Amino acid sequence: MKVVSSATDLTKVYGRGETRVVALDGVSIAFGRGEFTAIMGPSGSGKSTLMHCMAGLDSITSGSARIGDVELAGLDDRRLTRLRRDRVGFVFQAFNLMPTLNAAENVTLPLDLGGRRPDREWLDRVISTVGLSDRLHHRPAELSGGQQQRLAVARALASRPEIIFADEPTGNLDSRSGAEVLGLLREAVRELDSTVVMVTHDPAAAAHADRVVHLADGRVVDDVRGA
Amino acid sequence: MTVFRTALRTVLAHRARLLMTVLAVLLGVAFVAGTLVFTTSVSDAYVASSRQGLSGVDVRVRPVEEGRLLDEALRAKTAALPGVTGAAGAVEGFTALAGKDGRLVGDGWPTRGANPSGTRHRLTTGRMPAVEGEIALDSHTARRTGYAVGDTVRLSVSGPVLTPTVTGVFDTDDGNVAAGGTLVLFDTATAQRLLAEPGRYNQIDLAVGPGFDPDALKALLPYGVEAVTAAQLAERQAERNAESVTALSQVLLACAGVALFVGIFLIVNTFTMLVTQRTRELALLRAVGASRGQVTRSVLVEAFLVGSVASAIGLAVGIGGGYALFAAGDSLPDGPLVVDAATVAVSLGLGIGVTLFAAWLPARRAARIPPVAALAGVHAPASARSLRVRNGIGAVLAVAGGALVIVSTVRADGVLPLGLGVVLLLPGVFVLTPFLSRGVIAVVAPALRRTGVVGGLAGRNAVRNPRRTAATASALTIGLTLVAALTVIGAGADRAAHRLAASDYLTADYIVSMANSGPLAPDTDDILRELPEVTASSPRRVAHATFNGVQREVTAWRMAEYRQLLTLEFTAGGYANGDAAVVDADTATGNGWRVGDTLAVVWPDGAPGTLTLSGIYKGTFDDGVKVDLSLLDPHLDRVSATDVYVRTRGGVTAANERALAHALGDSPAVLVRDKSALLDDVIGQIGIILTVLYGMLALAVVVAVLGIVNTMAMSVHERTREIGLLRAVGLDRAGVRRMVRLESVVISLFGGVLGVGLGVFVGWAVGDVVSTKEGITTWAFVLPWGLLLLCLCGAAGAGVVAAIWPARRAARLDLLAAIRTE
Ligand SMILES: Nc1ncnc2c1ncn2[C@@H]1O[C@H](COP(=O)(O)OP(=O)(O)O)[C@@H](O)[C@H]1O
Ligand SMILES: [Mg+2]
């Protein structure tokens, strides 16, 4: 299986002296193409930090993180930004969308920022997959929480990134909307051949995944490939 | 007390965001305080120096009108009055001194000549002049020019150049000298011959002791001669000297006023934002029992604290600035720095008052936050209704104002409707700006979107908070309205001057005058008439005569030759010889005068007479009653004129100009100018006035730019999460900066377009109304495209500059913190 994102001995330390916190303590992990990974662990175990470091949103204290064969540690802000724009997708727990842009514009935002022509056929497929074809001209404020998160997934898929990181994408949703979003991510992996890494607290959500990684105190304590 | 403490805490917590507000108030207050300190210091120094300059003088006897003289006989009679211990005849008049480079010394300030006085002129070296060909110089001037005892200098009183020798240098407390002028002393006989007439004086200075009776003195004085005490004199002199300073201070105060007014918009924005951000907090206060009044007061107390701090610092800065200006002005008398209670009170009062006034609306809005807002995390947007009411009011004001302005231009005297119209129009437009901002920015939005997603976002951000955008842009609009109006008026004046020059109003080839606009030598006209080059000439003699109890300016000309010198377009009658007078149409209508009327006149020397109105001419520039020299001259002691109009054979040629100047002794003080040189001077003056006014508006523009900085910083702060999200999905730092910069440029260009539009409209109307009223027939409306375009570029530039700091902050935002922000 082709590795699209990997960390080797990844360490992240916040603060110094009294307030020093080791958020990640030598994590080594790799995510292969077409894999749907769930990351679990108690609050404060370093799940978000791991996603941020591997996605190029945060700096690394030591070790290495790669997207494809690009080492993130050595990249300046401009290269990191371009990498996030073209090769990585995100879904945050909340506030994923620009309030001044309508649904369609939010979906194509990373493409527009890069000045890339959207692949119409692919976009149509993504949008129909997330089921928002009739909401394209609505502003985020006019959409429900579940619709907003589905839109965020569409945005993450639009640029055909090598990997999508989702940090508790269903954390703010009721169970039905949450299930819809999970189903969508699952479908993205199966139908669109995406790679998804998702943080979740919900064992039922983890059940959708191919693989479940457990973190505790900034270390990988369990890594199970499921059925 | 708790209100005060919480307010203080709020202010401290938001001090970074209050920075621009403090700066804006500070700048305005500093300007006010600086101007007041400067003015009071200067006028006090003038009074002191005038008093010193009059030491030894108790009462001065002098003619009411300049041009009349006093006899030796009168001096002798006053000297013989009981209680009078001294009576010195003084002669004084314009005297131009050339420096070693041949140029006039003390240009722009009084350059005087006089006879020596024992009390006011104290020799430091040499001796006082005793005979013709000797002079003494004041020590200021001696130092400035490098002249010393024994040197020969070139000077001109009112005609040919003299070359006397310096015999002495003296100190004086003369206010004119302290102010940068020059003083040359001649022996009394020479001074009388040059500056007055042999045996006569300009004034008689009396020293008096016990037993002096002012009424006895008054009984001695002939018509048109007055006696003034030294105290009154000092005051009047100081007043006259301070006038130039007062004019400057009014300009500066007006500038500070505009800046403070512009600051109001900024303050409103800041406090609105502070209130909006604390909606929940304030609602909670209301929920636990705070009254509306208490909420309002808490916001006002915050404003008071901010205003106080800003005003106090502004006052200190202003005092420093005023002192620096006072100390640096080397043409000002020396004196102590005066900071009076009024200065402190006015400065602090204005600063705090403006801040409180501006915060009042947001404070009211804060009070209207319902307690339930504590639960729903809404920051309530302005209801559609309130904007609808606002748009209605704005539209009514703007339309009424605009209509009045247009009406004013078709009326003969449109000053009143024009003023009223502008007073309605400008606030109307400001009230309408939120509405206009949407429309105008919607027009440019497609163009912005074409530049990419960043442009589209910037355009949308600019209209997210129309009230704030409007207030921000309005601040710039005010400054640019004034700048554009001035530019249009300046261009019109320039065109009017050129057209006047091209017109045949002036048929004279040259106008001879003094560099200081003072009187020419009485024989100037005679000398010129002897030249073979001169075909016609006339002095333009000005005096005041009384008609039906009203004093009017009368100008006397050599009417036999006026046709060669100027064009008078008669609407009725014409010029007749004898006791004829002609008058412009406005004056004639105003007084009900008709051709053939006999006008009773009291001449300057008090003699009564009659004039026959023989013609009425169309007024242009030189309006009023015109008579022949032969009628006015007998009533003047010393006939003089400020200008002599000359027609030469062959018109304007370098040879003619040289011949005229040479005949007048090539004096540095005499100007021989043809029409185009005259025009250049007029245009130059217009240019200087415009430059001063532009400079004064710069402060308002600076405050407006602070307002844009303020708004952009607030916007960046409020959109922290959005910026974080954009960064996460692939907008680099340069892109974030570009987005903020574009929004700032959109807002300031909107303000600029509005301002330039309003300014052109107002400038057109003002030019039209004033030229109609003043009879400036050559006036024309000119659109100075280049300058107006420059205004817009300036507005865009202001937007770019204002965005520098907020854009940097936006780009530096920690991306994850931005996403995490609650
Ligand atoms: N910006 C930060 N500064 C200091 N400590 C942080 C910061 N972000 C996270 N941490 C700490 O790092 C640890 C891991 O945090 P996080 O990755 O957010 O955990 P999780 O997402 O698993 O709940 C926690 O102890 C947290 O307090
Ligand atoms: Mg987390």
Side-chain angles (χ1 to χ4, degrees), chain B residues 734-801:
Chain B
V736 171
R737 276 196 297 269
R738 199 164 60 239
M739 182 174 73
V740 175
R741 200 158 49 222
L742 265 174
E743 181 185 348
S744 170
V745 169
V746 165
I747 294 177
S748 46
L749 258 184
F750 166 63
V753 167
L754 212 57
V756 168
L758 272 176
V760 168
F761 181 62
V762 170
W764 160 74
V766 168
D768 197 285
V769 167
V770 171
S771 62
T772 308
K773 180 156 187 271
E774 301 293 325
I776 306 170
T777 50
T778 55
W779 181 268
F781 172 58
V782 186
L783 258 187
W785 286 110
L787 288 175
L788 294 178
L789 202 67
L790 202 68
C791 284
L792 289 181
C793 293
V800 172
V801 171

Side-chain angles (χ1 to χ4, degrees), chain B residues 232-584:
Chain B
Q232 289 170 324
L233 268 176
E235 206 161 289
R236 281 194 219 172
Q237 236 176 55
E239 247 169 48
R240 201 154 13 96
N241 281 329
E243 245 166 47
S244 55
V245 179
T246 310
L248 175 67
S249 85
Q250 275 165 354
V251 169
L252 289 176
L253 281 180
C255 131
V258 174
L260 277 172
F261 183 69
V262 167
I264 289 178
F265 292 86
L266 191 164
I267 302 169
V268 168
N269 271 349
T270 305
F271 279 91
T272 305
M273 177 225 32
L274 286 181
V275 166
T276 312
Q277 272 182 3
R278 285 187 294 146
T279 299
R280 274 204 219 180
E281 185 186 320
L282 292 170
L284 190 66
L285 270 180
R286 292 274 286 121
V288 299
S291 71
R292 284 191 172 197
Q294 278 171 318
V295 170
T296 307
R297 240 170 292 138
S298 74
V299 176
L300 287 180
V301 168
E302 287 161 34
F304 176 79
L305 288 172
V306 173
S308 305
V309 170
S311 304
I313 304 174
L315 179 65
V317 171
I319 291 173
Y323 177 68
L325 198 60
F326 181 47
D330 57 3
S331 55
L332 296 171
D334 297 331
L337 185 72
V338 182
V339 183
D340 56 12
T343 300
V344 175
V346 167
S347 307
L348 293 182
L350 262 180
I352 296 172
V354 161
T355 315
L356 280 180
F357 173 76
W360 183 72
L361 220 66
R364 285 277 309 270
R365 202 166 297 151
R368 263 184 275 131
I369 295 172
V372 289
L375 313 171
V378 271
H379 45 102
S383 72
R385 188 182 155 271
S386 71
L387 258 186
R388 208 174 304 139
V389 170
R390 180 175 173 153
N391 292 341
I393 295 172
V396 168
L397 284 177
V399 168
L404 268 173
V405 169
I406 290 172
V407 164
S408 74
T409 61
V410 297
R411 303 229 335 209
D413 182 358
V415 173
L416 194 71
L418 174 67
L420 199 65
V422 171
V423 164
L424 290 179
L425 173 66
L426 297 186
V429 172
F430 293 143
V431 172
L432 268 184
T433 19
F435 170 74
L436 293 175
S437 71
R438 290 204 157 151
V440 171
I441 294 173
V443 172
V444 296
L448 276 175
R449 226 165 295 144
R450 208 156 312 132
T451 67
V453 64
V454 166
L457 284 168
R460 273 176 233 194
N461 283 340
V463 286
R464 272 170 95 170
N465 192 334
R467 283 172 194 269
R468 189 198 289 171
T469 299
T472 310
S474 294
L476 199 59
T477 302
I478 295 167
L480 282 179
T481 300
L482 295 173
V483 167
L486 281 176
T487 306
V488 168
I489 294 169
D494 197 276
R495 171 73 61 89
H498 276 102
R499 278 165 65 165
L500 182 70
S503 80
D504 55 1
Y505 162 70
L506 201 63
T507 40
D509 295 314
Y510 290 99
I511 292 176
V512 177
S513 58
M514 297 297 280
N516 70 331
S517 313
L520 287 158
D523 57 356
T524 306
D525 184 48
D526 297 336
I527 294 172
L528 294 174
R529 291 179 75 73
E530 275 168 21
L531 294 178
E533 289 88 349
V534 173
T535 57
S537 78
S538 170
R540 177 177 180 273
R541 187 114 60 232
V542 184
H544 289 91
T546 312
F547 295 84
N548 288 334
V550 181
Q551 252 210 359
R552 291 180 185 286
E553 202 175 80
V554 172
T555 50
W557 301 79
R558 180 169 293 113
M559 291 305 279
E561 293 177 6
Y562 86 85
R563 265 179 249 275
Q564 276 93 321
L565 304 171
L566 37 134
T567 309
L568 290 184
E569 214 181 299
F570 283 101
T571 57
Y575 177 69
N577 293 325
D579 64 348
V582 295
V583 71
D584 67 285

Side-chain angles (χ1 to χ4, degrees), chain A residues 177-189:
Chain A
S177 307
E180 272 174 25
V181 171
L182 281 175
L184 194 57
L185 286 171
R186 175 76 259 176
E187 215 171 306
V189 173

Side-chain angles (χ1 to χ4, degrees), chain A residues 34-163:
Chain A
E35 216 177 18
F36 187 179
T37 309
I39 298 189
M40 299 189 74
S43 181
S45 57
K47 306 182 294 291
S48 296
T49 306
L50 178 67
M51 310 262 300
H52 294 156
C53 288
M54 294 191 71
L57 285 166
D58 206 350
S59 62
I60 294 164
T61 307
S62 70
S64 128
R66 289 164 182 269
I67 297 287
D69 44 15
V70 178
E71 173 58 56
L72 302 186
L75 296 184
D76 61 10
D77 181 73
R78 227 188 47 204
R79 292 216 177 80
L80 263 183
T81 304
R82 203 176 306 154
L83 179 113
R84 288 197 302 266
R85 188 182 74 201
D86 299 337
R87 300 175 68 175
V88 181
F90 296 100
V91 182
F92 301 109
Q93 184 171 350
F95 203 82
N96 272 297
L97 306 169
M98 289 297 291
T100 47
L101 300 180
N102 68 23
E105 289 165 334
N106 262 298
V107 170
T108 56
L109 183 58
L111 295 170
D112 291 338
L113 283 173
R116 279 197 281 164
R117 290 198 148 275
D119 175 347
R120 268 287 132 216
E121 206 181 310
W122 170 255
L123 269 189
D124 289 343
R125 205 166 139 206
V126 166
I127 287 168
S128 67
T129 308
V130 301
L132 287 169
S133 306
D134 54 343
R135 292 278 192 282
L136 286 180
H137 297 290
H138 290 239
R139 291 280 165 94
E142 297 158 350
L143 300 176
S144 72
Q147 285 170 329
Q148 287 183 18
Q149 287 305 83
R150 271 149 57 195
L151 197 59
V153 174
R155 200 260 326 277
L157 288 166
S159 57
R160 288 189 186 229
E162 285 156 47
I163 186 162

